[in-house]
């Protein structure tokens, strides 16, 4: 602190209009005298009660009458420089002169926001401030910096608002973007606004459609019947996030799962590359692991189980433990598996149909929840185990998903916890075929033995003997035998599913696909010269009730021609993920109408050197963007295998701490530290921060420190009423106070708790710095 003070003194000594006392115990800024106090961690400045002129007295009086609105004029300072940056395009990037010379570059990018009607919240500036600091620092080093901003503007909220009000989503989106842009400029970020893009701009989604055509050409885009969330009452397909406990978020109507033809993207073809290339990225281990788990690579065997008395029918299962095949005592089909209807016997038909119908009302998450009791019904059919010829019952159960593997599993209760639980519940057999490598196996145990070990009871008279082999060797031997006998083969499986790439909505990119009326089931790509295929204006944004999007009702738009023959356009639209898969490239060449990006600009700027965004996008957005980038790499559009070299996921900012105490029926306070008391039976009372004090690791009532109170911060939400509007913070304390406070809250990656009083502390700190330098820095120095 003393060093900092001396630096200030030296700076001020060189100014003719400033004076320092000989003893250095006080110093003057203009006409106001200040005393300094050096503390262990900061300089405290207090205005002296002495004044040098009557003018100072008058100024003090004027300040008092306005309740000292500001300790320093941040509104004047910030507005001045923000206007200057805007008018002079200070942060505009002109890279053309540097493409040939190869001047060092740095591409720093924020995950661009969805411009919602509620505007920015205080979580947005956290990441933006971090990238802004980095961008400004790199510029000071003489590095060519790319720091753009744009809008991920397609989405359900704008369309829902259109349904409720009749306002075109385009108008709503434009209004919201204008508000977001103004908020960001008010916060003083050094974005290059000349490169601003919006995914809803036809000039932008022309190239989103172009990428889809390339995916289609490569066989990576196809149509398939897949289960979707269908709401009969609303007459539309719902996204997973629009379904809560089997009911629609809007109106709480029943939702069922039904098959419907949808566009799919073969992201599974890139599963191995998506896994391998993670190793070369500067990402946190936790984010990499989330992606690995989502891709879910597993090695094992694909095995054929013939169905008894059903000709030419076999059930295909994938297992990572072929060494336990002799222990299989039953098989399970997913309710949506087409084999269910084919193999179900007449005797069990009614029960099976009822169960399948009930399963359609559940989400995948509900069905696979670990804590839930596993349910299922017997189909009446039997599968034949290929290694021992045993006939084992086939059940249908909703804990098996049709979207994973083949939608069928072999069950080995002795060596799988889930299978063991289901077998005990339904009276199915348990056969032990693996024992510990050391020690004995307790075959009467009430839990499965799931570890690797040594095989037993695993031999047949057809040349397969696994007894005495370790798990690793037994797997290898069993797979070789199955392959030789024609019952199976070695296989690598991925939990990753192909990407369902369609929405039955209006507000999204139209597919550049038409169907010849003479052959309506065959999709035909439109010519690249006809892009962009723009959205038509519609009279109603309501779903059609048939499962089709509102575009299905726009006859003039749907009906077209193909080589002179009548044809119809695709009426589905792309999901919101589409535009955000490649926006980082468009920033580099935003006005190019001839190609997606100039090769020289791509080669100079890519990859993104620093990418910052919320951890909630750690899987889907990043995985989808990496997939599209690899496709673009394969067709020669980009020269890097990965789009984002370094990734930082910012932590969440929680609302202010909420304090709660409880009272019993007699009006007595109840401490949350009282063991054995169910607090839900007592009246809860919200407290102000001034009514509690810190004691130990918790908080207690100020009036009775024996009462421990509940102190907890929650995620910001409108329903809790704890959302902090950055506009209000900027109005009261200035943009620099907000930005500096968010950087002082703690490490960027960690979850933090908002505290407005701390913003005031940062504001006072900045005011002290301003008073130290008041009139000491002119425009040329700034």
């Amino acid at each position: 602190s003393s060093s900092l003070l001396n630096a200030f003194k030296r700076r001020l000594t060189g100014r003719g209009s400033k004076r320092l006392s000989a003893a250095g115990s006080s110093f003057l800024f203009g006409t106001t005298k200040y005393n300094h106090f050096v503390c262990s961690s900061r300089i405290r400045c207090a205005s002296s009660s002495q004044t040098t002129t009557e003018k100072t007295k008058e100024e003090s009086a004027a300040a008092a009458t306005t309740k000292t609105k500001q300790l320093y004029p941040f509104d004047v300072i910030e507005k001045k420089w923000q206007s200057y940056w805007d008018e002079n395009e200070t942060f505009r990037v002109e890279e053309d002169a540097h493409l040939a010379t190869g001047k060092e570059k740095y591409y720093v990018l924020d995950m661009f926001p969805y411009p919602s009607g509620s505007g920015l919240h205080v979580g947005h500036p956290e990441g933006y401030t971090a990238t802004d600091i980095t961008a400004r620092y790199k510029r000071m080093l003489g590095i060519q910096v790319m720091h753009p901003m744009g809008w991920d503007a397609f989405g359900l909220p704008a369309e829902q608002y259109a349904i409720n009000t009749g306002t075109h989503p385009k108008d709503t989106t434009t209004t919201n973007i204008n508000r977001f842009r103004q908020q960001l400029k008010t916060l003083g970020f050094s974005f290059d606004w000349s490169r601003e893009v919006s995914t809803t701009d036809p000039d932008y989604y022309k190239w989103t459609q172009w990428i889809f055509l390339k995916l289609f050409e490569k066989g990576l885009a196809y149509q398939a019947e897949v289960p979707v969330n269908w709401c009969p009452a609303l007459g539309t397909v719902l996204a997973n996030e629009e379904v809560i406990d089997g009911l629609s978020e809007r109106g709480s109507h029943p939702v069922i799962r039904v098959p419907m033809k949808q566009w799919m993207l073969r992201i599974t073809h890139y599963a191995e590359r998506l896994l391998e290339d993670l190793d070369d990225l500067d990402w946190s281990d936790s984010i990499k692991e989330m992606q690995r788990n989502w891709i879910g690579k597993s090695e094992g065997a694909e095995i054929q189980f013939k169905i008894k008395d059903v000709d030419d029918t076999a059930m295909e299962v994938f297992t990572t433990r072929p060494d336990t095949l002799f222990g299989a005592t039953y098989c399970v089909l997913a309710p949506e598996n087409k084999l269910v209807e084919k193999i179900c016997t007449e005797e069990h038909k009614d029960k099976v149909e009822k169960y399948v119908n009930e399963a359609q009302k559940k989400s995948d998450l509900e069905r696979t929840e670990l804590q839930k009791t596993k349910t299922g019904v017997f189909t009446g059919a039997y599968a034949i185990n290929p290694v021992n010829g045993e006939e084992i019952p086939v059940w249908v159960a909703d804990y098996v998903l049709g979207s994973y593997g083949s939608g069928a599993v072999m069950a080995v209760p002795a060596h799988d916890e889930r299978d063991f639980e289901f077998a005990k519940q339904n009276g199915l057999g348990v056969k032990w075929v693996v024992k510990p490598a050391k020690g004995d196996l307790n075959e009467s145990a009430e839990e499965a033995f799931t570890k690797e070990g040594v095989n037993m009871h695993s031999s047949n008279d057809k040349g397969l003997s696994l007894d005495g082999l370790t798990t690793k060797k037994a797997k290898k031997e069993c797979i070789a035998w199955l392959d030789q006998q024609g019952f199976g083969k070695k296989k690598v499986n991925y939990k990753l599913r192909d990407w369902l790439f369609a929405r039955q909505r209006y507000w999204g990119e139209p597919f550049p696909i038409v169907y010849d009326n003479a052959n309506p089931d065959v999709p035909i790509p439109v010519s690249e010269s006809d892009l962009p295929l723009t959205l038509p204006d519609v009279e109603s944004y309501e779903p059609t009730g048939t499962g089709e999007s509102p575009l299905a009702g726009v006859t003039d738009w749907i009906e077209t021609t193909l080589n002179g023959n009548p044809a119809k356009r695709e009426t589905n639209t792309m999901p919101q993920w589409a535009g955000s898969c490649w926006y980082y490239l468009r920033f580099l060449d935003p006005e190019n109408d001839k190609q997606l990006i100039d090769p020289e600009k791509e080669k100079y700027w890519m990859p993104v050197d620093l990418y910052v965004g919320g951890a909630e996008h750690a899987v889907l957005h990043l995985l989808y963007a990496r997939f599209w980038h690899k496709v673009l790499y394969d067709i020669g559009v980009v020269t890097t295998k990965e789009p984002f070299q370094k990734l930082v996921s910012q932590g969440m900012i929680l609302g202010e701490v909420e304090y709660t105490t409880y009272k019993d029926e007699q009006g007595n306070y109840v401490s949350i530290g009282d063991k054995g008391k169910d607090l839900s039976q007592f009246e809860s009372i919200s407290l102000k921060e001034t009514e509690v004090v810190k004691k130990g690791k918790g908080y207690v009532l100020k009036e009775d420190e024996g009462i421990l109170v509940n102190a907890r911060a929650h995620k910001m939400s409108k329903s809790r009423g704890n959302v902090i509007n950055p506009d209000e913070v900027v109005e009261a304390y200035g943009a620099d106070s907000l930005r500096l406070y968010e950087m002082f809250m703690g490490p960027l990656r960690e979850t933090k708790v908002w505290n407005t009083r701390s913003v005031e502390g940062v504001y006072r700190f900045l005011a002290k710095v301003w008073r130290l330098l008041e009139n000491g820095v002119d425009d040329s120095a700034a």
Side-chain angles (χ1 to χ4, degrees):
S1 296
S2 58
S3 298
L4 177 61
L5 180 61
N6 290 331
F8 276 127
K9 290 178 180 177
R10 288 194 298 271
R11 176 72 179 274
L12 296 174
T13 302
R15 302 279 180 173
S17 60
K18 311 298 179 294
R19 309 187 272 109
L20 288 173
S21 69
S25 60
S26 64
F27 49 91
L28 295 174
F29 287 92
T31 56
T32 306
K33 185 178 180 182
Y34 289 86
N35 294 320
H36 73 264
F37 303 88
V38 179
C39 302
S40 60
S41 61
R42 67 189 184 280
I43 299 175
R44 296 191 293 110
C45 297
S47 177
S48 171
S49 59
Q50 303 174 14
T51 56
T52 57
T53 64
E54 287 300 318
K55 183 178 179 181
T56 305
K57 292 181 180 179
E58 294 172 1
E59 290 173 348
S60 298
T65 58
T66 58
K67 298 182 180 179
T68 11
K69 178 185 176 185
Q70 296 173 337
L71 297 176
Y72 78 106
F74 63 79
D75 55 341
V76 176
I77 300 167
E78 293 176 357
K79 184 177 180 180
K80 170 186 175 179
W81 288 107
Q82 288 166 13
S83 298
Y84 178 89
W85 296 335
D86 219 16
E87 292 167 7
N88 292 275
E89 295 187 307
T90 303
F91 307 112
R92 184 184 181 111
V93 180
E94 299 290 356
E95 81 277 271
D96 292 347
H98 305 295
L99 294 179
T101 62
K103 179 181 179 180
E104 184 180 356
K105 64 88 183 180
Y106 196 83
Y107 188 179
V108 55
L109 182 66
D110 302 280
M111 292 185 184
F112 67 167
Y114 171 75
S116 66
S118 56
L120 290 174
H121 57 74
V122 291
H124 285 107
E126 180 188 20
Y128 300 159
T129 302
T131 56
D132 196 58
I133 291 170
T134 304
R136 289 172 183 271
Y137 171 68
K138 294 292 184 181
R139 291 191 191 101
M140 291 176 184
L141 296 178
I143 296 170
Q144 181 82 325
V145 174
M146 176 68 69
H147 190 207
M149 177 51 68
W151 318 105
D152 188 13
F154 277 125
L156 293 174
E159 185 162 355
Q160 195 60 56
Y161 188 74
I163 292 173
N164 296 336
T165 66
T167 305
H168 197 294
K170 179 174 62 177
D171 298 333
T172 304
T173 299
T174 299
T175 299
N176 294 346
I177 286 176
N178 289 339
R179 183 184 180 195
F180 263 67
R181 186 191 304 109
Q182 182 56 45
Q183 286 181 300
L184 290 176
K185 287 188 175 183
T186 300
L187 288 167
F189 296 123
S190 61
F191 296 126
D192 178 357
W193 287 106
S194 70
R195 295 174 180 271
E196 179 182 2
V197 298
S198 170
T199 56
T200 60
D201 183 345
D203 289 338
Y204 180 94
Y205 69 69
K206 165 186 177 178
W207 297 105
T208 307
Q209 293 172 332
W210 181 86
I211 295 173
F212 177 82
L213 290 180
K214 297 306 172 184
L215 289 163
F216 186 79
E217 288 175 12
K218 288 178 63 66
L220 297 171
Y222 67 99
Q223 289 179 307
E225 280 205 351
V226 295
V228 296
N229 301 312
W230 170 250
C231 180
L234 297 178
T236 187
V237 172
L238 302 178
N240 287 332
E241 59 268 25
E242 297 176 285
V243 182
I244 302 174
D245 297 329
L247 301 175
S248 63
E249 184 180 34
R250 181 166 65 98
S252 297
H253 301 294
V255 177
I256 61 175
R257 302 274 285 175
V258 298
M260 186 175 291
K261 183 180 282 189
Q262 301 285 305
W263 279 101
M264 310 288 292
L265 298 186
R266 296 188 199 276
I267 189 173
T268 51
H269 280 29
Y270 284 74
E272 193 62 33
R273 288 168 62 182
L274 289 167
L275 270 177
E276 289 179 354
D277 292 343
L278 280 172
D279 295 337
D280 299 326
L281 298 177
D282 185 8
W283 295 12
S284 69
D285 290 339
S286 60
I287 297 297
K288 288 183 179 181
E289 193 61 24
M290 289 173 69
Q291 292 227 343
R292 290 189 184 104
N293 290 338
W294 190 268
I295 295 169
K297 180 180 180 179
S298 54
E299 298 181 2
E302 186 177 80
I303 305 173
Q304 302 287 331
F305 284 76
K306 291 184 178 180
I307 304 299
K308 181 184 178 184
D309 298 331
V310 182
D311 294 337
D312 301 323
T313 301
M315 180 171 56
E316 188 178 90
V317 305
F318 171 80
T319 178
T320 59
R321 293 293 303 270
D323 58 300
T324 64
L325 185 51
F326 281 93
T329 59
Y330 65 98
C331 289
V332 181
L333 291 173
E336 55 270 33
N337 194 308
K338 293 181 179 180
L339 275 180
V340 173
E341 184 178 359
K342 184 174 182 179
I343 70 173
C344 182
T345 63
E346 196 65 34
E347 179 184 356
H348 296 83
K349 187 175 182 180
D350 290 343
K351 284 186 177 180
V352 170
E353 285 185 352
K354 182 179 179 181
Y355 184 85
V356 169
N357 289 336
E358 287 298 316
Q360 289 179 341
K361 300 175 184 178
K362 300 178 183 179
S363 68
D364 289 353
L365 185 61
E366 291 175 290
R367 288 170 55 178
T368 55
E369 196 173 7
L370 294 176
Q371 290 76 17
K372 89 177 197 70
T373 301
K374 308 296 185 290
T375 63
V377 293
F378 179 40
T379 63
Y382 289 85
I384 300 173
N385 190 328
V387 294
N388 56 20
E390 289 185 2
E391 298 174 2
I392 57 178
V394 180
W395 285 62
V396 56
D398 62 9
Y399 71 82
V400 177
L401 301 177
S403 58
Y404 179 68
S406 61
V409 299
M410 72 174 202
V412 185
H415 305 292
D416 182 275
E417 289 291 355
R418 184 182 62 176
D419 296 345
F420 186 88
E421 178 187 335
F422 190 86
K424 287 293 185 182
Q425 186 177 313
N426 294 286
L428 297 167
V430 177
K431 291 181 64 176
W432 304 88
V433 295
V434 179
K435 63 181 180 180
K438 295 181 180 180
D440 298 324
L441 176 71
N442 181 7
E443 296 190 18
S444 61
E446 288 302 312
E447 61 180 5
F449 175 69
T450 60
K451 298 179 181 179
E452 294 189 355
V454 177
N455 270 62
M456 63 181 185
H457 310 316
S458 301
S459 298
N460 62 22
D461 57 2
K462 297 181 180 179
L464 178 61
S465 179
L466 307 180
D467 293 339
L469 298 181
T470 62
T471 296
K472 185 176 181 180
K473 290 182 178 179
K475 286 181 180 180
K476 186 176 180 180
E477 288 292 325
C478 186
I479 292 173
W481 186 88
L482 289 168
D483 190 37
Q484 183 183 38
Q485 299 293 321
F487 292 131
K489 60 184 178 181
K490 183 178 181 179
K491 186 177 182 180
V492 175
N493 198 41
Y494 298 92
K495 189 169 70 174
L496 179 68
R497 299 293 91 202
D498 279 346
W499 179 6
L500 197 160
F501 193 73
R503 295 170 62 246
Q504 290 68 46
R505 298 284 185 162
Y506 168 77
W507 193 230
E509 298 94 337
F511 282 95
I513 294 291
V514 296
Y515 302 90
D516 191 321
N517 287 1
N519 198 0
D521 293 328
V522 179
I524 303 171
V526 304
S527 170
E528 291 182 16
S529 61
D530 291 333
L531 299 180
L533 174 60
T534 58
L535 285 167
D537 290 329
V538 297
E539 294 182 1
S540 173
Y541 305 97
E542 290 281 352
T544 59
T546 63
E548 297 176 291
S549 83
L551 292 175
V554 189
T555 305
D556 292 345
W557 184 81
I558 292 176
E559 293 182 352
T560 184
T561 58
L562 181 67
N563 298 325
N565 299 318
K568 287 185 172 60
R569 298 191 190 280
E570 171 66 67
T571 59
N572 287 333
T573 53
M574 299 183 198
Q576 186 175 357
W577 302 107
S580 63
C581 277
W582 71 281
Y583 73 105
Y584 56 91
L585 292 172
R586 193 59 178 173
F587 280 140
L588 306 181
D589 201 4
E591 297 180 4
N592 194 332
D593 63 352
K594 303 299 182 183
Q595 55 191 152
L596 188 144
I597 183 173
D598 182 298
E600 289 300 313
K601 293 181 178 180
E602 183 278 328
K603 189 175 181 179
Y604 176 71
W605 284 110
M606 289 300 293
V608 174
D609 296 286
L610 175 63
Y611 194 34
V612 177
E616 65 272 19
H617 302 298
V619 176
L620 294 182
H621 159 62
L622 290 171
L623 202 61
Y624 294 156
R626 293 180 62 218
F627 164 48
W628 275 35
H629 192 84
K630 291 183 182 303
V631 174
L632 293 175
Y633 176 81
D634 289 347
I635 63 176
V637 174
V638 298
T639 56
T640 62
K641 292 182 179 180
E642 289 286 337
F644 316 118
Q645 183 57 35
K646 182 178 179 64
L647 171 73
V648 174
S649 296
Q650 68 199 54
M652 185 182 298
I653 295 182
L654 303 177
E656 298 217 35
V657 175
E658 299 175 16
Y659 303 95
T660 308
T661 189
Y662 300 87
K663 281 187 176 181
D664 59 21
E665 294 180 353
Q666 289 74 41
N668 300 315
Y669 285 112
V670 178
S671 175
I672 66 169
D674 294 345
K675 296 181 179 180
K677 289 191 176 181
D678 179 11
L679 296 176
S680 64
Q681 64 180 315
F682 302 117
E683 177 189 6
S684 63
I685 301 171
S686 296
L687 300 170
K688 296 179 181 178
E689 188 176 4
T690 55
E691 297 177 287
V692 300
V693 292
K694 181 84 163 129
K695 187 175 182 181
K697 294 183 178 180
Y699 287 84
V700 296
L701 276 178
K702 183 179 288 187
E703 64 179 78
D704 183 353
E705 295 189 7
I707 303 298
L708 187 65
V709 304
N710 187 28
R712 182 182 176 189
H714 299 266
K715 181 179 179 180
M716 292 188 189
S717 67
K718 291 181 181 179
S719 60
R720 289 198 71 86
N722 64 345
V723 175
I724 304 297
N725 186 335
D727 292 351
E728 296 173 0
V729 179
V730 172
E731 174 69 23
Y733 305 108
D736 282 342
S737 295
L738 172 62
R739 289 156 54 105
L740 189 57
Y741 167 64
E742 294 206 353
M743 293 299 96
F744 280 172
M745 291 179 77
L748 183 64
R749 291 183 173 92
E750 293 184 8
T751 298
K752 297 165 281 289
V753 179
W754 181 269
N755 187 318
T756 301
R757 290 179 63 187
S758 295
V759 183
E760 296 174 4
V762 171
Y763 168 62
R764 289 194 296 271
F765 166 75
L766 290 176
K768 290 174 183 177
V769 174
W770 169 257
R771 291 198 300 272
L772 284 170
L773 298 174
E774 185 182 12
N775 299 321
V777 181
D778 59 27
D779 288 351
S780 62

